[in-house]
Amino acid sequence: MNKIGVIFDLDGVIVDTAKYHFLAWKELANHLGFEFTEAHNEQLKGVSRVRSLEILLDIGKVELSDEKKQEFLVSKNEHYLQYIHEMGPEEILPGASNLLDTLDDLGIQYVLGSASKNAPLILKQVNLFDRFVGIVDGNSVSKAKPDPEVFLIGAEKLKLKPEQCVVFEDAIAGIDAANAAHMISIGVGDKQTLSKADFNVEDLTEITSGFIKSLITKIETVK
Ligand code: BG6
Ligand code: MG
């Protein structure tokens, strides 16, 4: 019987797709006649595709019909997928593969909890798809992060209570979602940005087997 389970965000935790989202959104912004910077792109991390377009249009102070918005959502995704189709296992972020190995060794199962509708494809591109016991992605949820829905469905897939789950996230909305789900939240990236996380690491190379074991003890103690 598993004592804990792990839920991974994808973009920014397992792989860095933000750079490809940036290139595709930037092209759209330029097409619409305004600049879109890396700083602007930060606002789109962890945010759904539809919401990302709304934020981008706000930045450019551009108003569009629903029909045009739909058209640009499709063309942006087609452009983004050109980059995704070029991805391979070399794009897995530092420490991610080792952490999955550590969890396998400890008999701890893990699922994906991502806002991306392209998550299954991305995991296949980097040869990690088969390792997850479940995938919860942008197609499976009705409410986006910071709503906890994505992680609560993840807990169901792990057959665990939310309190037994540990979430790895790089976005503020994701940390908020994990905290709202009463899970242990681990912020991956800038400690100040992710100050609401229960634990913080710069990247997954910092997560040791000893740390995971300490989480098992912690979760056992609160039960
Ligand atoms: C999240 C990314 O994982 O997925 C966001 O952090 C992105 O930047 C969102 O907008 C939706 O992705 P997709 O692949 O469905 O367009
Ligand atoms: Mg992310």
Side-chain angles (χ1 to χ4, degrees):
M1 171 70 185
N2 282 321
K3 295 185 179 70
I4 73 166
V6 173
I7 307 178
F8 285 97
D9 174 49
L10 178 65
D11 296 326
V13 174
I14 307 270
V15 287
D16 176 21
T17 46
K19 57 189 179 200
Y20 302 133
H21 281 297
F22 172 62
L23 292 172
W25 285 127
K26 185 176 164 56
E27 192 201 58
L28 174 60
N30 293 350
H31 173 77
L32 292 170
F34 62 94
E35 272 309 312
F36 183 75
T37 65
E38 300 238 17
H40 289 140
N41 196 51
E42 284 298 309
Q43 298 176 41
L44 310 188
K45 285 191 179 171
V47 171
S48 73
R49 193 182 309 167
V50 172
R51 182 76 193 114
S52 294
L53 177 64
E54 285 168 4
I55 295 171
L56 179 128
L57 295 176
D58 276 352
I59 291 167
K61 300 190 175 43
V62 172
E63 284 191 28
L64 293 177
S65 66
D66 287 349
E67 202 183 358
K68 267 283 167 206
K69 283 183 194 168
Q70 202 48 45
E71 189 186 304
F72 287 135
L73 284 171
V74 171
S75 61
K76 180 269 169 181
N77 195 52
E78 281 170 356
H79 182 191
Y80 173 68
L81 286 179
Q82 288 176 9
Y83 298 110
I84 299 306
H85 283 126
E86 297 297 316
M87 284 180 85
E90 69 285 352
E91 294 205 40
I92 297 172
L93 283 171
S97 290
N98 277 348
L99 177 55
L100 299 188
D101 292 344
T102 300
L103 295 174
D104 289 345
D105 291 345
L106 294 170
I108 295 171
Q109 292 191 316
Y110 40 88
V111 297
L112 196 82
S114 167
S116 171
K117 294 187 173 181
N118 296 305
L121 170 69
I122 295 167
L123 282 182
K124 283 178 192 155
Q125 287 292 133
V126 299
N127 287 343
L128 290 179
F129 183 80
D130 294 332
R131 300 190 60 174
F132 288 77
V133 296
I135 307 282
V136 191
D137 64 14
N139 302 296
S140 352
V141 294
S142 56
K143 286 168 268 174
K145 300 169 187 175
D147 190 280
E149 184 185 18
V150 59
F151 295 140
L152 293 174
I153 300 174
E156 280 171 26
K157 288 197 186 279
L158 288 163
K159 301 189 176 61
L160 292 171
K161 289 187 232 159
E163 293 79 8
Q164 293 172 286
C165 297
V166 178
V167 173
F168 286 93
E169 253 294 348
D170 74 315
I172 299 169
I175 295 295
D176 287 341
N179 291 343
H182 303 291
M183 298 176 177
I184 292 180
S185 56
I186 304 185
V188 182
D190 183 60
K191 193 180 163 106
Q192 276 180 344
T193 309
L194 305 173
S195 60
K196 283 187 271 176
D198 294 317
F199 298 91
N200 291 87
V201 290
E202 277 295 322
D203 64 39
L204 295 181
T205 59
E206 292 177 36
I207 306 290
T208 61
S209 175
F211 175 72
I212 301 291
K213 285 179 191 158
S214 75
L215 291 181
I216 298 175
T217 311
K218 184 178 160 75
I219 285 172
E220 277 292 280
T221 321
V222 268
K223 248 200 319 195

